[in-house]
Every structure is written in C-alpha cells, then in structure tokens.
Amino acid sequence: MKSLNKPMAQLVGLATGGTALLTAATALAEPLGSDTIWSLPRDVSRDGHRIDWLIQVTNGFVILLFGIMCVWMAWAILKHNSDHEAEYDHGDSRHHIAVAMGISALIFFVVDGNLWFNSTIDVNTVYWNFELAEKSPNVVRIEVNAHQWAWDARYAGPDGKFGTKDDFVTLNDVRVPMGLGADSKPNTDDDVPVSMQLASTDVIHSFYLPNLRIKQDAVPGMINRMWFVAAKKGEVEIGCAQHCGVHHYKMKGILTIMEPADFQAWSQHMSEQAQLGYDANDAEGNWGWKWREI
Ligand SMILES: [Cu+2]
C-alpha cells in the first residue's frame, strides 16, 4: 500500500482529530430543558441572557482562533514540504518576540477584556446589586439551609418574619412566583424578585440553578445571598455545584416557577399546615435566622 507523504499524513491527522472532537461534543447528554443539543439549558430567568451573551461571544472568539490556527497550520504543512529548505532559529529575535507578545496581548485584551468588562457591569448592575431585590415591594424571601445531602428552604409566611410560628419549610422543593411584570420590561416596580439567603450546617455546598444562570455557595458560619427574577413557568433542576461528600449526587431539587396567584395559594396553605404542627421547643426544626439586612 502506498504510504501518504508527510504533509498529507499531517493533514489527515488534523482532520481525524477534528472529527473526534466534533463527535465527542455532539455525544453529550442533553441538558434538562435545553432547546437543542448545542444550547445551554433553557434560560427561564429575566437576566440570564447576560451570561449567555458572554458565553456565546467567547465561544465565537474561540472558534475564530481555532479556525485561524487550523488554516495557519495547514498553510505551514503545505509550504514547508520537501522542496523547502529547513530554517532553524530560537524565536528570540526582537521581531519574533514583538509578534508573539502582540498576538498574545491582542487575544488577552479582546477576549478576556470583553469578559472582564461586561461581567463587571453585570455583577454591579444586577447579580450583586442586592438592593434592587430588597427594595422591591414584591420581593419573595427564602432562606436555604444546605446539609449533607439536601436543601431545606424556609419561607417567612404571612407575617414576613423568619423564625416565627407561621414559617414553613420544604425539602428539595423550592417554589417561586413567575416574576415578570405585565410590561415584561426589567427593573420595573411590578417585577417580583426572589431574594435568597444561604447557609450550611456541615460542609460547603453550592446552590445551583442552571436554568436561571446563577449559583451561590452555602458555607458553614456564613450567610450568602443571591437573587433572580423568574421569567417562565415550569419546573427546573436545582443542583449542588460543590462536591460535598459521597452522596453529593443526591442533592438534586426542583425549582417550580408558578403563576403568582398559585404561589400565593400554595404559600398560604403551607403556612397553615406548618402552624398546626409548630413546636416552639424543636430547636433543630426552628433553624431559621433573622433576615440579614443589606
Ligand atoms: Cu452539596
């Protein structure tokens, strides 16, 4: 059998590697609620598009750079064939150093700079702007207590205060109202933000809502915060994003986004049920804390 010449063999190797990469990418299991195998889990939050934009633009840059590298390598393979006399240098001339540094700086400032600049805007205007949630007259507050290996969620009940008789607690079952106001525009008075405070009783866990593009660590001895506005009805997954022990994989919960009226009815019912079984001496069961103001 006639063997391939060296440049051809290198090109075939490159093509085989690319095909293997593509096959591996399409073989990934479909994430819950995603619209295609290529996309992220379906975004059901008001602000998740900010994260998706950053990921998509960064993916675009990476694909562009990959394409440039492939063309560059193919050109080098074909040009530097057996007719081309080999040249050898250490790549330490001024010219080489300037080109290498110039390309590196360009990639760093454009790709990483874009990530840094826009993610800073996102955290300052939305994700870490907790006042936006706390000042809303409609805010729904939830305390989440993580432990090996489940999520306890506490609602304040009709009195709006945690640690009182009308609190109710759910296990791996967090429900929130759909929060987009009638005008569907963000940051308006009729949106319903969900504000969460998170703690842990044992090790570090991380409350992860992939469909809302948000996660926050639950750390023993600390109260952490996160907030979001849910934009679409339905059930999505809650996961733990910190490996927290042998049953880490069991820390799967469901976040249900409900019609506001249904959420009200459910909250009232749950609170009434909880009050029937309230025991003031149950120290373990009454783990709620006083809501930390900003
Ligand atoms: Cu965990």
Side-chain angles (χ1 to χ4, degrees), residues 9 83 85 101 154 159 162 180 214 225 273 293:
D83 301 332
E85 194 173 335
M101 290 189 71
R154 176 175 290 268
D159 71 355
F162 287 91
L180 268 193
I214 198 161
R225 305 167 178 278
Q273 292 295 309
E293 303 300 328

Side-chain angles (χ1 to χ4, degrees), residues 149 151 204-206 240 242 244 248 251:
W149 285 276
W151 307 101
I204 299 175
H205 303 270
S206 185
C240 180
Q242 285 283 356
C244 54
H248 164 65
M251 289 192 72

Side-chain angles (χ1 to χ4, degrees), residues 56-136:
Q56 282 156 7
V57 168
T58 306
N59 278 346
F61 281 135
V62 171
I63 290 166
L64 179 69
L65 287 168
F66 180 71
I68 291 171
M69 285 308 299
C70 287
V71 171
W72 194 350
M73 280 196 288
W75 171 80
I77 289 166
L78 295 173
K79 183 176 181 235
H80 296 277
N81 56 20
S82 52
D83 301 332
H84 185 275
E85 194 173 335
E87 293 165 23
Y88 180 77
D89 68 68
H90 289 279
D92 57 357
S93 67
R94 271 172 177 254
H95 172 72
H96 280 126
I97 291 171
V99 168
M101 290 189 71
I103 292 173
S104 305
L106 183 71
I107 294 170
F108 179 74
F109 284 111
V110 173
V111 182
D112 300 74
N114 172 64
L115 273 173
W116 176 79
F117 181 75
N118 285 296
S119 58
T120 304
I121 291 173
D122 291 346
V123 293
N124 286 333
T125 55
V126 179
Y127 296 108
W128 292 351
N129 188 354
F130 300 106
E131 268 188 29
L132 220 52
E134 287 296 317
K135 277 190 181 164
S136 164

